[in-house]
Amino acid sequence: MSTTYTQIYIQLVFATKCRDNKISSSVRDEIEKYICGILNNKGQKVLAIYANPDHIHIFFSYKNLKITISDLVKIVKTESTNFINKKKLTFNHFLWQQGYGAFSYAKSQKQQVVNYVLSQETHHNKKSFREEYIEFLNAFEIEFKDEYLFEFYD
């Protein structure tokens, strides 16, 4: 009997509603751990995660192909939103913006992407999230319209 073998690495990027700085450093670790748990429970393996105050990067090995990436993102956003609001980890009500970016990488790029995700704090001292996100879209040759990007206020 044959089986399916895959090796797919995905970096997800999505933002808080209105790009509000909702994720403080005091709750970042708890939110990251919860999101890792969601992904692990869905058969995925998180390689790196970093929750910036207004957006998040999640780099994972996409192992459970029975769930689509869009369904996976929906589950992560819904369950983490419910967790954050139930535990009152943010001031006022928390929501993620609609939409996300999903970018694929080769195994040879794995460590580079892990390092990139984990260095987000210093990275954003030099570059805004808007600049970063548009660079991703251009580097991956994804056609886009400005009006359909995240709500950017910087």
Side-chain angles (χ1 to χ4, degrees):
M1 182 162 132
S2 62
T3 190
T4 303
Y5 299 100
T6 64
Q7 185 178 73
I8 303 169
Y9 298 103
I10 303 290
Q11 180 180 189
L12 293 176
V13 181
F14 49 90
T16 60
K17 182 75 175 166
C18 299
R19 292 272 323 288
D20 287 339
N21 287 325
K22 291 275 193 172
I23 303 172
S24 68
S25 58
S26 63
V27 298
R28 182 174 60 80
D29 189 52
E30 188 172 2
I31 292 170
E32 290 172 353
K33 285 179 182 175
Y34 191 80
I35 290 173
C36 286
I38 295 168
L39 288 161
N40 289 337
N41 287 336
K42 294 299 177 190
Q44 312 305 331
K45 182 179 179 189
V46 177
L47 303 170
I49 185 169
Y50 194 90
N52 290 284
D54 64 349
H55 72 283
I56 191 165
H57 291 258
I58 307 166
F59 184 50
F60 69 101
S61 178
Y62 184 45
K63 294 184 168 292
N64 179 0
L65 305 182
K66 293 179 182 176
I67 185 168
T68 65
I69 292 173
S70 61
D71 286 344
L72 191 60
V73 172
K74 182 177 180 180
I75 291 166
V76 167
K77 284 183 170 184
T78 300
E79 291 185 12
S80 63
T81 295
N82 292 339
F83 171 77
I84 291 166
N85 287 322
K86 183 178 179 180
K87 299 256 321 196
K88 298 182 180 179
L89 297 179
T90 63
F91 184 72
N92 293 328
H93 191 70
F94 179 86
L95 286 172
W96 295 109
Q97 267 189 54
Q98 288 186 353
Y100 62 91
F103 308 98
S104 61
Y105 295 88
K107 183 179 183 198
S108 62
Q109 298 169 296
K110 186 170 100 173
Q111 193 57 52
Q112 179 184 351
V113 179
V114 166
N115 294 343
Y116 176 80
V117 169
L118 297 178
S119 68
Q120 282 292 294
E121 188 172 13
T122 56
H123 172 75
H124 283 293
N125 287 333
K126 304 174 205 160
K127 189 178 294 188
S128 73
F129 175 49
R130 179 182 177 82
E131 291 170 321
E132 172 188 53
Y133 195 69
I134 290 173
E135 281 183 11
F136 274 123
L137 295 173
N138 289 328
F140 284 87
E141 299 179 2
I142 298 171
E143 292 184 25
F144 65 93
K145 294 183 179 181
D146 282 341
E147 63 265 27
Y148 297 117
L149 293 177
F150 294 121
E151 299 165 356
F152 290 109
Y153 303 103
D154 43 26

